[in-house]
Each structure stands twice: as C-alpha cells, then as structure tokens.
Amino acid sequence: MTLNQYIPTNLTKEINKGEAIWTSPSNIALVKYWGKKKHQIPENQSISFTLDACKTKTKLSYEKTNKVIDNYSFDVYLDGEEKLDFKPKINTFFERIEVYLPFLKDYHFKIETSNTFPHSSGIASSASGMSALALCLMSLEKELNPEITQEYFNEKASFLARLGSGSASRSIEGDLVVWGAHKAIEGSSDLYGIKYPYKVHDNFKNYHDTILLVDKGEKQVSSTVGHNLMYNHPFAKTRFKQAEENITNIKGILETGDLDGFIALIESEALTLHAMMMTSMPYFILMKPNTLEIIDKIWAFRKETGLHISFTLDAGANVHVLYPEKEAEAIYDFIKTELVAYCQNGHYICDRIGFGAKQL
Ligand code: PMV
C-alpha cells in the first residue's frame, strides 16, 4: 500500500548538512488501540490525552553522503551512549517510510535522543521516540521543500510516526487526539491522528495524570505480539465495535463535562484492554498484584469522598491515575499517602494533559 499524497515531488533545494531538534510527548489512550491490520492500520479508533512531562527529545544531524549506498547510514545514541540495539527498530522504520522520504539514503544521520522519564520505567518510549524522529525527518523534508504547509507537515509527521508505532501517530499535537476513521469525528483517518475537533468542557482542561510505576521492568509481551493476538481472538469483533461506540459516547461526555460518564468509560476501556490480553491464545497477564491493590484503593476512596479520581492502564502494570484540576489537591494528597507505597521504590511521575510536540 503506497499513498501518493505523501510521496514528495518537489524536493528542489540542495541541502548538504544540518540538524533538527524536536521534543515530542508520550500520550495515554482513553479509548484503546489494540489490534491492527496490515500496514499499521488500526482495527479500531482510539482517542488519547497528549501528555506534557513525559517526552523524548531527539536531535537529528544529517550530512549528505556522496556515495551510493545500499543501506541506511545512521548512528543512534541514548543519553550520549551509542545504542546498537536500537538500530534494527529504526532500520525497519526507515524501510517502511523510505518511499515517502526518498532522500533517506542520501544522508548519514546521527540520532541523539533522551527521555524525560527513566528508560527502565515501564513507560513505553515508542510513541514519543518515534514521533520525535518522524518530526525531525519532516524538518529535513521541509528544508528540501520549504513550500510545504504546516498542515501537511503535521499530518505527514503523524502518518510517518504511525508506521513506527501506531500510538505514536497520536503524539504530534494535543490536547486530545483521535486516530482511526470514525463517522462521528470529522476529518478522522486510519492513516494519521487528528487534533480532536469538538468542544471540550472545562472539566477536562488541565487534567492530571499521575503515573504510578508499579513495575519498571521490560514488558514480558511486546505490543506487536499483543496486537497480533487479536487475529482470531474470539471477542475481537465485539471489542472493535465497542471501541467505536465508546468514541461516539466520549464525544458527548467531553462536551458536557460528564466526569462520572468519563470515569466509567475509561476504566472499562482499561480493563477491557487487559481482558483481551487475558483471553487471547496464548493468554497473558501484565497487571501485577499492586496494580489491583491500587485500583481497589482508588475505588474505595472515590466511594468515600465522591471525588472524581479514576485510573487507566496501558500495556503494562503501571497505573495512570487521572483526575480533574479542581480536585487535584485532595487527590494528590491521597496518592502520596495511600498509593505511592505500592510503587516500585516509591517511584511515580506527575504529568498532565499537554499540547504536543515542539521544535527547539
Ligand atoms: O503503539 P503500540 O503498537 O505500542 O500500541 C499501543 C497500544 C496501547 O498502548 C496498549 C493502547 C494505545 O492506544 O495506546
């Protein structure tokens, strides 16, 4: 599948050398993407909060090679240290996107990257990392063709990021992003994420996400393997339909500021994601005992106080505690006194909704 609209035809400038630096955030899905077709096309639509503090900074230095080369020429560094083990993933990414960036083999690249969150925090860096790299490459395309519009730049950056990691397509902009064509969301596409185009109630402005690091180890099951287990999954069809309905439902919730409706929808999404993992073949469990302890405590505290604390999960044991700005003080106190004890080495990250990638 090649999409002509992303194949550049007008790369008129000669650029020998240069660099681009971007920071790009992580995101947390409210309606989860789990299951994909060929070419990183999602089986269902998803929507996420863009995060603010958890991000990747990437500097891409490029220099024209005057040789004709068969392979991509690049070196990659994390926190100043060369990372040979990152190369295969980037190589695969380059293979997928070369048709859209036909100049990839004309340059030698130095990719220097760092994350604001610790590498071994169990927080996936693929969304922020792949989107940061896609943006740096788009900056080079813009050097070669200064005519491209901002709209095309963002759309293609998301399109390319998606080919690196599906959820990365949702990290270019903020504060809410939809990925996947949905009849109720104008402009939505399977190919790239779009900024959520409708009214959002003040209740959801500056929403908090405190990430409790329950297990900082490497994931036992990669998301690629997990997505693939949705093929032939007995509940897949119903799940994809449910996600579609949840996107329709969240639209009303976001507009009216319905916090109770929001909580019910996102917690059900989080548990459904894990239920899909537990009911695939082979089956697996990514939650840990402390994940469940935290969920129990959140439910008890919510019942007792009526405050709008809620949780979501991604493909791991860590818990994202989500809560509105106007209740932040009391909820943060509770997190510190009651929940942090369940985190590995007491580690957690205070984040909130953010507004997307930035060029430095
Ligand atoms: O982008 P991937 O292929 O790592 O998939 C991410 C899937 C979830 O994080 C579990 C859900 C989501 O929508 O982000």
Side-chain angles (χ1 to χ4, degrees):
M1 186 169 84
T2 305
L3 294 140
N4 289 331
Q5 71 265 39
Y6 300 115
I7 300 179
T9 50
N10 213 12
L11 302 174
T12 46
K13 283 248 185 149
E14 264 293 313
I15 303 292
N16 287 319
K17 208 177 157 163
E19 62 179 47
I21 308 176
W22 280 88
T23 63
S24 191
S26 186
N27 67 75
I28 181 69
L30 304 171
V31 174
K32 309 287 179 182
Y33 150 59
W34 199 244
K36 61 180 166 187
K37 302 177 191 153
K38 266 191 166 166
H39 307 295
Q40 301 273 102
I41 297 298
E43 285 278 12
N44 66 265
Q45 307 86 351
S46 55
I47 182 168
S48 51
F49 274 157
T50 304
L51 295 181
D52 184 47
C54 289
K55 56 189 173 210
T56 298
K57 178 177 169 188
T58 297
K59 174 173 167 186
L60 180 76
S61 313
Y62 40 88
E63 183 158 8
K64 206 141 193 188
T65 54
N66 290 316
K67 302 171 260 171
V68 180
I69 47 172
D70 285 338
N71 292 318
Y72 309 106
S73 173
F74 66 93
D75 301 313
V76 53
Y77 298 81
L78 175 70
D79 299 326
E81 255 183 58
E82 188 161 17
K83 291 294 271 185
L84 296 175
D85 53 328
F86 281 17
K87 289 190 92 171
K89 201 165 179 197
I90 295 176
N91 209 71
T92 306
F93 179 49
F94 280 2
E95 276 166 7
R96 289 183 190 162
I97 63 174
E98 190 187 351
V99 59
Y100 305 110
L101 300 174
F103 48 83
L104 275 184
K105 283 187 182 146
D106 300 344
Y107 290 91
H108 173 74
F109 296 105
K110 183 176 182 192
I111 304 163
E112 293 168 275
T113 190
S114 58
N115 299 319
T116 55
F117 46 92
H119 186 55
S120 57
S121 59
I123 297 189
S125 56
S126 61
S128 53
M130 283 297 172
S131 54
L133 183 54
L135 285 156
C136 288
L137 291 165
M138 280 308 294
S139 287
L140 172 54
E141 177 171 333
K142 196 169 165 62
E143 289 281 324
L144 296 165
N145 175 13
E147 305 289 294
I148 61 175
T149 63
Q150 192 55 41
E151 201 187 342
Y152 178 81
F153 187 101
N154 281 350
E155 182 180 307
K156 185 167 169 184
S158 172
F159 170 84
L160 296 174
R162 186 195 99 244
L163 293 171
S165 169
S167 57
S169 67
R170 298 189 312 243
S171 275
I172 307 297
E173 293 182 89
D175 42 356
L176 276 154
V177 175
V178 178
W179 169 42
H182 191 287
K183 55 185 182 317
I185 312 285
E186 216 182 312
S188 57
S189 169
D190 284 349
L191 301 176
Y192 49 85
I194 61 160
K195 195 172 150 53
Y196 180 72
Y198 303 109
K199 195 176 148 249
V200 176
H201 191 279
D202 281 351
N203 279 351
F204 298 107
K205 299 279 156 69
N206 211 12
Y207 224 75
H208 290 251
D209 178 3
T210 301
I211 309 167
L212 304 179
L213 305 177
V214 170
D215 182 30
K216 301 196 272 177
E218 284 276 313
K219 276 195 243 173
Q220 308 113 304
V221 181
S222 73
S223 56
T224 309
V225 171
H227 287 294
N228 285 339
L229 291 174
M230 289 302 278
Y231 290 112
N232 301 322
H233 190 294
F235 310 132
K237 268 215 176 94
T238 318
R239 160 60 196 153
F240 302 145
K241 194 161 178 303
Q242 177 199 40
E244 184 180 2
E245 286 164 9
N246 278 342
I247 296 275
T248 306
N249 294 338
I250 208 169
K251 201 175 149 186
I253 289 171
L254 291 172
E255 189 180 338
T256 57
D258 174 7
L259 289 170
D260 294 329
F262 179 79
I263 291 170
L265 190 149
I266 64 153
E267 291 190 349
S268 156
E269 273 290 323
L271 295 179
T272 302
L273 169 72
H274 284 257
M276 290 299 113
M277 298 171 185
M278 289 192 254
T279 48
S280 58
M281 192 55 86
Y283 41 82
F284 59 103
I285 302 180
L286 296 184
M287 292 186 286
K288 297 283 181 204
N290 280 355
T291 311
L292 297 180
E293 293 283 0
I294 290 169
I295 292 174
D296 244 9
K297 287 257 175 189
I298 287 175
W299 284 346
F301 180 73
R302 188 163 76 217
K303 196 161 175 209
E304 189 185 302
T305 61
L307 293 173
H308 296 94
I309 183 172
S310 61
F311 73 88
T312 189
L313 307 166
D314 56 19
N318 297 334
V319 182
H320 289 249
V321 185
L322 300 181
Y323 48 101
E325 167 77 8
K326 63 179 178 207
E327 297 173 8
E329 217 180 294
I331 293 177
Y332 185 53
D333 265 355
F334 161 71
I335 292 173
K336 278 188 300 188
T337 53
E338 298 285 334
L339 301 185
V340 167
Y342 297 101
C343 298
Q344 209 177 338
N345 306 324
H347 287 167
Y348 63 101
I349 298 172
C350 290
D351 211 337
R352 61 180 65 205
I353 217 171
F355 295 93
K358 288 193 190 85
Q359 186 164 21
L360 302 183

